[in-house]
């Protein structure tokens, strides 16, 4: 059995900056079966199954993983759109999961969200001015009614849109422009944290770069903290300070951008990175592609021990008996360099050694 010497919370605590959001052992299970007509329960989907991390002022934490791994459920939990089964979400030390009414409303003002699909997240019957100004209706103390039109025009200008577009409707804009409208809406209440749930996945590659650059500029100007969720590792690399790799409801590896991309230690992370397109043909030919076998297990009945073992070329009897803990493996703790970061693998190593 492998040993670990530090967990993700310990590693985050070593980072500089004020901790704004602290998540501790967050769990969200969705019961299956039953329903309004009764019936027998058939277990539960373990969408988020024990996630912990800290988000600090001015930093971006990227969360990556395959579709269905729990990333979007995590975002909804942080926005209090879903209630957790257990665990804690602390905003400035206050447990958000215990709040309701005005107290929860006050927290939501400081944690905003940019949604995945700019084609469905904007009301087609509202003008751009009404969409961006809608948060002021919910939080009227942020901007006096007579000042809201000016504030909306300023927000459009900040995200690179013509302020004269306030009376246009969403269908009159491209996908990239619609996402800028969504970002302007997210900025309206002067939040400290913005949850970005796959904000560029529905956009063309060239437009993705423009939106990512916009988010980086806004972060510098307003001191924002981002939780940036995506399945495209190449996008996450360009905006994230730290990265968490998620698999079947759990974080399996966390570290700085350099640690994850240049020194991955978990087999799942290594496989994901091996699939990232490389523009240089010389480098592409020298890199070994890791092809995973098997299917992703059901989140309703994850396997005992390591959840990745059915697709892993390193799997051994230990992996079935004992679930690895996310921490710095003792076998890597004494090694020099950036390979020393939390990884939930009994056989964590830097080499991307695939099965022959």
């Amino acid at each position: 059995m492998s040993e670990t010497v530090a967990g993700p919370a310990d590693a985050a605590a070593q980072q500089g900056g004020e901790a704004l959001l602290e998540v501790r052992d967050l769990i969200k299970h969705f019961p299956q079966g039953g329903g309004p007509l009764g019936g027998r329960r058939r277990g539960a989907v373990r969408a988020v199954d024990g996630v912990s991390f800290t988000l600090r002022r001015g930093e971006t934490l990227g969360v990556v993983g395959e579709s269905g791994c729990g990333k979007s459920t995590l975002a909804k939990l942080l926005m209090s759109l879903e209630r957790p089964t257990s665990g804690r979400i602390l905003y400035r030390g206050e447990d958000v999961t215990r709040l309701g009414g005005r107290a929860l409303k006050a927290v939501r003002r400081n944690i905003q969200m940019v949604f995945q699909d700019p084609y469905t997240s904007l009301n087609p019957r509202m003008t751009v001015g009404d969409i961006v100004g809608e948060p002021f209706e919910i939080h009227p103390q942020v901007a006096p009614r007579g000042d809201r039109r000016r504030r909306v025009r300023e927000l459009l200008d900040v995200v690179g849109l013509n302020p004269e577009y306030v009376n246009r409707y969403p269908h009159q804009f491209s996908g990239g422009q619609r996402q800028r409208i969504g970002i302007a809406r997210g900025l309206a209440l002067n939040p400290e944290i913005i949850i970005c749930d796959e904000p560029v996945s529905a956009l063309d590659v060239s437009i993705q770069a423009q939106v990512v650059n916009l988010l980086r500029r806004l972060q510098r100007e307003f001191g924002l903290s981002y939780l940036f969720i995506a399945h495209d590792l190449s996008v996450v690399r360009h905006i994230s300070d730290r990265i968490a790799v998620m698999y079947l409801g759990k974080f399996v590896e966390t570290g700085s951008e350099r640690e994850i991309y240049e020194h991955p230690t978990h087999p799942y992370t290594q496989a994901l990175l091996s699939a990232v397109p490389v523009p240089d043909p010389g480098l592409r030919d020298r890199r070994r592609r890791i092809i995973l076998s098997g299917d992703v297990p059901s989140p309703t009945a994850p396997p005992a021990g390591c959840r990745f073992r059915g697709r892993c070329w390193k799997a051994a009897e230990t992996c079935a008996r004992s679930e690895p803990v996310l921490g710095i493996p003792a076998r890597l703790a004494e090694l020099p360099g950036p390979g020393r970061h939390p990884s939930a693998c009994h056989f964590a190593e830097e080499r991307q050694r695939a099965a022959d």
Side-chain angles (χ1 to χ4, degrees), residues 3-6 265 327-342 348 350:
E3 296 180 354
T4 57
V5 296
T265 63
I328 301 175
R331 59 198 301 270
L332 298 180
E334 297 180 0
L335 296 179
R340 298 172 298 170
H341 57 272
E350 288 191 42

Side-chain angles (χ1 to χ4, degrees), residues 19-46:
L20 295 181
L21 192 67
E22 297 176 77
V23 174
R24 297 290 172 260
D25 198 24
L26 191 63
I27 293 174
K28 179 61 179 180
H29 294 174
F30 294 97
Q32 297 295 288
L37 299 180
R40 184 177 179 181
R41 296 280 189 187
R42 299 190 303 274
V45 173
R46 302 180 180 184

Side-chain angles (χ1 to χ4, degrees), residues 41-321:
R41 296 280 189 187
R42 299 190 303 274
V45 173
R46 302 180 180 184
V48 176
D49 207 18
V51 166
S52 299
F53 65 87
T54 298
L55 181 65
R56 299 185 175 276
R57 177 180 293 279
E59 78 164 348
T60 299
L61 173 64
V63 178
V64 298
E66 295 169 293
S67 297
C69 72
K71 305 186 301 296
S72 291
T73 300
L74 175 61
K76 292 176 182 178
L77 290 169
L78 299 179
M79 288 295 299
S80 298
L81 299 177
E82 294 280 0
R83 286 288 185 178
T85 304
S86 63
R88 306 175 71 196
I89 302 173
L90 305 176
Y91 170 70
R92 291 188 170 276
E94 187 170 27
D95 192 347
V96 178
T97 64
R98 299 179 181 273
L99 300 180
R102 292 183 179 179
L104 180 59
K105 182 178 177 181
V107 170
R108 280 178 168 166
R109 171 186 166 182
N110 291 295
I111 305 176
Q112 292 291 298
M113 190 167 184
V114 175
F115 295 90
Q116 176 178 357
D117 190 350
Y119 296 92
T120 60
S121 62
L122 305 179
N123 189 330
R125 298 183 178 181
M126 295 175 65
T127 66
V128 168
D130 290 336
I131 290 171
V132 176
E134 187 176 23
F136 300 139
E137 299 294 330
I138 302 171
H139 299 270
Q141 72 278 13
V142 176
R145 185 168 296 276
D147 194 43
R148 292 176 189 175
R149 205 66 174 175
R150 179 190 63 80
R151 177 63 177 148
V152 167
R153 295 170 72 91
E154 288 179 349
L155 288 166
L156 292 178
D157 184 58
V158 163
V159 299
L161 293 175
N162 190 332
E164 301 302 320
Y165 291 167
V166 289
N167 294 318
R168 294 189 180 185
Y169 289 85
H171 73 271
Q172 296 176 280
F173 296 88
S174 67
Q177 289 175 321
R178 294 186 199 189
Q179 198 58 292
R180 289 173 184 264
I181 295 169
I183 293 171
R185 177 176 59 187
L187 290 173
L189 301 178
N190 301 314
E192 292 187 305
I193 299 170
I194 295 183
I195 311 296
C196 301
D197 185 12
E198 306 237 24
V200 298
S201 63
L203 306 176
D204 293 338
V205 174
S206 60
I207 306 302
Q208 288 182 3
Q210 294 176 19
V211 173
V212 168
N213 289 335
L214 170 64
L215 289 170
R216 293 177 65 183
R217 175 174 65 81
L218 295 173
Q219 185 174 48
R220 291 193 299 269
E221 291 182 7
F222 300 106
L224 296 168
S225 299
Y226 293 139
L227 184 82
F228 192 94
I229 295 172
H231 62 268
D232 188 335
L233 279 80
S234 59
V235 171
V236 173
R237 181 170 197 176
H238 290 292
I239 194 171
S240 300
D241 301 299
R242 292 186 297 119
I243 294 169
V245 181
M246 194 170 189
Y247 184 79
L248 215 61
K250 290 180 174 288
F251 285 175
V252 297
E253 186 169 2
T254 62
S256 68
E257 174 270 330
R258 182 188 174 200
E259 288 171 338
I260 296 298
Y261 281 87
E262 298 182 15
H263 305 274
T265 63
H266 195 284
Y268 178 61
T269 308
Q270 294 170 358
L272 289 179
L273 289 172
S274 77
V276 174
V278 177
D280 187 334
L283 294 176
R284 187 190 313 138
D285 293 339
R286 291 199 300 270
R287 186 178 65 176
R288 175 179 292 182
R289 175 72 187 274
I290 300 175
I291 306 297
L292 297 177
S293 61
D295 298 323
V296 180
S298 169
T300 305
C306 177
R307 299 186 175 195
F308 185 62
R309 63 183 174 85
R311 307 172 71 193
C312 182
W313 63 93
K314 296 181 181 180
E317 185 178 347
T318 300
C319 304
R321 289 199 316 263

